[in-house]
């Protein structure tokens, strides 16, 4: 089992990394601005699920393979970057439809996007997040107790710590951004503008991720 001191040490390390906004946080903010609170919360859920898939990959040895191979790492990174750009372009193209979508969502109780599709988007971005990949591959194995055995199980338990922290912090970011969007929703022009801003933010994030080196 994982000792309490290792668990607390890993929690402190995770908090330091997570409080610095990375691709996941910026992605959640972009989705909140472009689509609102419901989409932001579904994105957060998908994001943490994708991040935990990275934990599982590291626990069973796949993460170290990706981290050691520059070609595989680059392929994963570029796939995530391209997906972010596609989502950003879609948000920008449909920015003028946001007022109608917001009104329809309020009257029907449904989000502007399908929840399952939104969660899937979040999973894709979470699992291709270079920051998460490097953190889990390089830091997570340092906190396991090799003499206790059951290394994959220890990593899966430890991995729940940053996932829970990320769930809380990303939710706060998403709700804060969606609250700002609510004010913009009072004007169709302002809502269109904020939707375009969210789209540009995701496009910029995709370009930034693509340009990120392995040290990040």
């Amino acid at each position: 089992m994982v000792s309490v001191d290792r668990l607390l040490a890993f929690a402190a390390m995770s908090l330091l990394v997570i409080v610095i906004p990375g691709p996941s946080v910026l992605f959640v903010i972009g989705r909140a601005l472009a689509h609102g609170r419901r989409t932001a919360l579904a994105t957060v859920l998908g994001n943490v699920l994708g991040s935990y898939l990275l934990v599982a990959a590291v626990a069973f040895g796949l993460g170290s393979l990706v981290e050691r191979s520059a070609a595989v790492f680059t392929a994963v990174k570029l796939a995530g970057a391209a997906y972010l750009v596609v989502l950003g372009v879609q948000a920008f193209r449909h920015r003028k439809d946001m007022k109608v979508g917001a009104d329809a969502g309020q009257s029907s109780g449904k989000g502007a996007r399908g929840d399952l599709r939104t969660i899937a988007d979040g999973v894709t971005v979470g699992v291709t997040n270079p920051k998460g990949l490097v953190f889990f591959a390089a830091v997570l194995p340092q906190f396991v107790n090799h003499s206790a055995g059951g290394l994959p199980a220890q990593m899966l338990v430890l991995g729940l710590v940053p996932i829970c922290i990320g769930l809380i912090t990303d939710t706060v970011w998403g709700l804060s951004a969606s609250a700002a969007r609510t004010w913009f929703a009072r004007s169709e022009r302002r809502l269109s503008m904020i939707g375009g801003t969210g789209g540009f933010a995701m496009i910029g994030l995709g370009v930034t991720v693509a340009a990120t080196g392995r040290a990040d």
Side-chain angles (χ1 to χ4, degrees):
M1 294 298 293
V2 180
S3 61
V4 175
D5 59 334
R6 289 176 183 265
L7 195 65
L8 293 177
F10 186 61
M13 176 72 73
S14 300
L15 183 61
L16 289 176
V17 173
I18 291 173
V19 294
I20 302 173
S24 293
V25 170
L26 298 179
F27 177 58
V28 169
I29 292 175
R31 298 306 291 280
L33 293 177
H35 300 288
R37 181 176 60 185
R38 187 185 182 97
T39 296
L41 295 179
T43 298
V44 170
L45 177 59
N47 218 316
V48 296
L49 290 176
S51 296
Y52 198 67
L53 288 178
L54 287 180
V55 173
V58 171
F60 293 101
L62 296 179
S64 59
L65 172 63
V66 174
E67 173 60 13
R68 287 196 302 266
S69 172
V72 175
F73 181 88
T74 300
V76 172
K77 179 182 69 173
L78 292 180
Y83 197 69
L84 284 168
V85 170
V86 169
L87 292 176
V89 170
Q90 289 178 348
F92 181 78
R93 288 181 58 189
H94 296 289
R95 66 190 185 282
K96 294 183 179 180
D97 301 330
M98 291 181 63
K99 184 64 176 178
V100 176
D103 292 340
Q106 291 173 357
S107 62
S108 66
K110 297 181 180 179
R113 296 168 58 85
D115 289 342
L116 291 180
R117 179 183 172 187
T118 302
I119 292 173
D121 289 342
V123 169
T124 301
V125 173
V127 82
T128 56
N129 180 0
K131 179 182 176 181
L133 178 60
V134 172
F135 176 74
F136 290 129
V139 178
L140 178 58
Q142 299 180 26
F143 288 86
V144 300
N145 184 355
H146 292 268
S147 62
L151 299 185
Q154 289 189 56
M155 290 186 188
L156 291 175
V157 172
L158 282 170
L160 291 173
V161 174
I163 295 302
C164 291
I165 295 175
L167 179 62
I168 295 171
T169 57
D170 286 0
T171 297
V172 172
W173 280 110
L175 292 177
S176 299
S178 62
R181 180 184 185 272
T182 300
W183 180 82
F184 278 94
R186 297 173 186 172
S187 165
E188 185 172 353
R189 180 179 179 182
R190 287 183 298 190
L191 186 60
S192 176
M193 182 181 68
I194 201 66
T197 300
F200 272 124
M202 284 185 279
I203 293 173
L205 175 58
V207 173
T208 301
V209 168
T212 299
R214 288 180 66 94
D216 297 328

